[in-house]
PDB file of all heavy atoms in Angstrom:
ATOM      1  N   LYS A 755      73.891-135.933 -22.606  1.00 68.00           N
ATOM      2  CA  LYS A 755      72.820-136.845 -22.041  1.00 68.00           C
ATOM      3  C   LYS A 755      72.275-136.290 -20.781  1.00 68.00           C
ATOM      4  O   LYS A 755      73.036-136.159 -19.806  1.00 68.00           O
ATOM      5  CB  LYS A 755      73.390-138.238 -21.824  1.00 68.00           C
ATOM      6  CG  LYS A 755      72.291-139.220 -21.304  1.00 68.00           C
ATOM      7  CD  LYS A 755      72.933-140.598 -20.941  1.00 68.00           C
ATOM      8  CE  LYS A 755      73.376-141.346 -22.182  1.00 68.00           C
ATOM      9  NZ  LYS A 755      73.939-142.686 -21.841  1.00 68.00           N
ATOM     10  N   HIS A 756      71.039-135.876 -20.797  1.00 66.00           N
ATOM     11  CA  HIS A 756      70.479-135.284 -19.613  1.00 66.00           C
ATOM     12  C   HIS A 756      70.144-136.228 -18.525  1.00 66.00           C
ATOM     13  O   HIS A 756      70.217-137.436 -18.710  1.00 66.00           O
ATOM     14  CB  HIS A 756      69.183-134.515 -19.989  1.00 66.00           C
ATOM     15  CG  HIS A 756      69.360-133.285 -20.850  1.00 66.00           C
ATOM     16  ND1 HIS A 756      70.017-132.161 -20.460  1.00 66.00           N
ATOM     17  CD2 HIS A 756      69.165-133.133 -22.184  1.00 66.00           C
ATOM     18  CE1 HIS A 756      70.051-131.287 -21.442  1.00 66.00           C
ATOM     19  NE2 HIS A 756      69.646-131.912 -22.574  1.00 66.00           N
ATOM     20  N   ARG A 757      69.768-135.773 -17.369  1.00 61.00           N
ATOM     21  CA  ARG A 757      69.695-136.602 -16.108  1.00 61.00           C
ATOM     22  C   ARG A 757      68.517-137.660 -16.523  1.00 61.00           C
ATOM     23  O   ARG A 757      68.668-138.864 -16.194  1.00 61.00           O
ATOM     24  CB  ARG A 757      69.300-135.848 -14.943  1.00 61.00           C
ATOM     25  CG  ARG A 757      69.158-136.638 -13.736  1.00 61.00           C
ATOM     26  CD  ARG A 757      68.932-135.721 -12.577  1.00 61.00           C
ATOM     27  NE  ARG A 757      68.928-136.470 -11.271  1.00 61.00           N
ATOM     28  CZ  ARG A 757      68.880-135.897 -10.087  1.00 61.00           C
ATOM     29  NH1 ARG A 757      68.913-134.628 -10.005  1.00 61.00           N
ATOM     30  NH2 ARG A 757      68.827-136.656  -8.974  1.00 61.00           N
ATOM     31  N   TRP A 758      67.446-137.212 -16.997  1.00 45.00           N
ATOM     32  CA  TRP A 758      66.277-138.179 -17.238  1.00 45.00           C
ATOM     33  C   TRP A 758      66.685-139.225 -18.273  1.00 45.00           C
ATOM     34  O   TRP A 758      66.215-140.371 -18.188  1.00 45.00           O
ATOM     35  CB  TRP A 758      64.981-137.468 -17.604  1.00 45.00           C
ATOM     36  CG  TRP A 758      65.149-136.755 -19.015  1.00 45.00           C
ATOM     37  CD1 TRP A 758      65.528-135.544 -19.310  1.00 45.00           C
ATOM     38  CD2 TRP A 758      64.741-137.385 -20.234  1.00 45.00           C
ATOM     39  NE1 TRP A 758      65.493-135.336 -20.657  1.00 45.00           N
ATOM     40  CE2 TRP A 758      65.005-136.417 -21.275  1.00 45.00           C
ATOM     41  CE3 TRP A 758      64.244-138.574 -20.704  1.00 45.00           C
ATOM     42  CZ2 TRP A 758      64.710-136.666 -22.669  1.00 45.00           C
ATOM     43  CZ3 TRP A 758      63.925-138.923 -21.960  1.00 45.00           C
ATOM     44  CH2 TRP A 758      64.220-137.946 -22.936  1.00 45.00           C
ATOM     45  N   GLU A 759      67.539-138.874 -19.249  1.00 44.00           N
ATOM     46  CA  GLU A 759      68.006-139.789 -20.180  1.00 44.00           C
ATOM     47  C   GLU A 759      68.838-140.897 -19.576  1.00 44.00           C
ATOM     48  O   GLU A 759      68.801-142.063 -19.880  1.00 44.00           O
ATOM     49  CB  GLU A 759      68.693-139.152 -21.359  1.00 44.00           C
ATOM     50  CG  GLU A 759      67.844-138.196 -22.137  1.00 44.00           C
ATOM     51  CD  GLU A 759      68.676-137.456 -23.198  1.00 44.00           C
ATOM     52  OE1 GLU A 759      69.816-137.305 -22.987  1.00 44.00           O
ATOM     53  OE2 GLU A 759      67.983-136.921 -24.101  1.00 44.00           O
ATOM     54  N   ALA A 760      69.731-140.393 -18.680  1.00 45.00           N
ATOM     55  CA  ALA A 760      70.669-141.305 -17.974  1.00 45.00           C
ATOM     56  C   ALA A 760      69.794-142.289 -17.104  1.00 45.00           C
ATOM     57  O   ALA A 760      70.140-143.458 -16.994  1.00 45.00           O
ATOM     58  CB  ALA A 760      71.655-140.543 -17.154  1.00 45.00           C
ATOM     59  N   THR A 761      68.806-141.782 -16.441  1.00 47.00           N
ATOM     60  CA  THR A 761      67.892-142.586 -15.627  1.00 47.00           C
ATOM     61  C   THR A 761      67.156-143.555 -16.370  1.00 47.00           C
ATOM     62  O   THR A 761      67.130-144.737 -16.004  1.00 47.00           O
ATOM     63  CB  THR A 761      67.024-141.674 -14.793  1.00 47.00           C
ATOM     64  OG1 THR A 761      67.746-140.725 -14.059  1.00 47.00           O
ATOM     65  CG2 THR A 761      66.171-142.515 -13.796  1.00 47.00           C
ATOM     66  N   THR A 762      66.714-143.150 -17.519  1.00 40.00           N
ATOM     67  CA  THR A 762      65.985-144.058 -18.409  1.00 40.00           C
ATOM     68  C   THR A 762      66.779-145.146 -18.930  1.00 40.00           C
ATOM     69  O   THR A 762      66.463-146.319 -18.942  1.00 40.00           O
ATOM     70  CB  THR A 762      65.344-143.339 -19.545  1.00 40.00           C
ATOM     71  OG1 THR A 762      64.516-142.290 -19.061  1.00 40.00           O
ATOM     72  CG2 THR A 762      64.464-144.235 -20.392  1.00 40.00           C
TER      73      THR A 762
END
Side-chain angles (χ1 to χ4, degrees):
K755 180 186 287 185
H756 295 288
R757 183 174 183 173
W758 68 270
E759 294 173 341
T761 304
T762 303

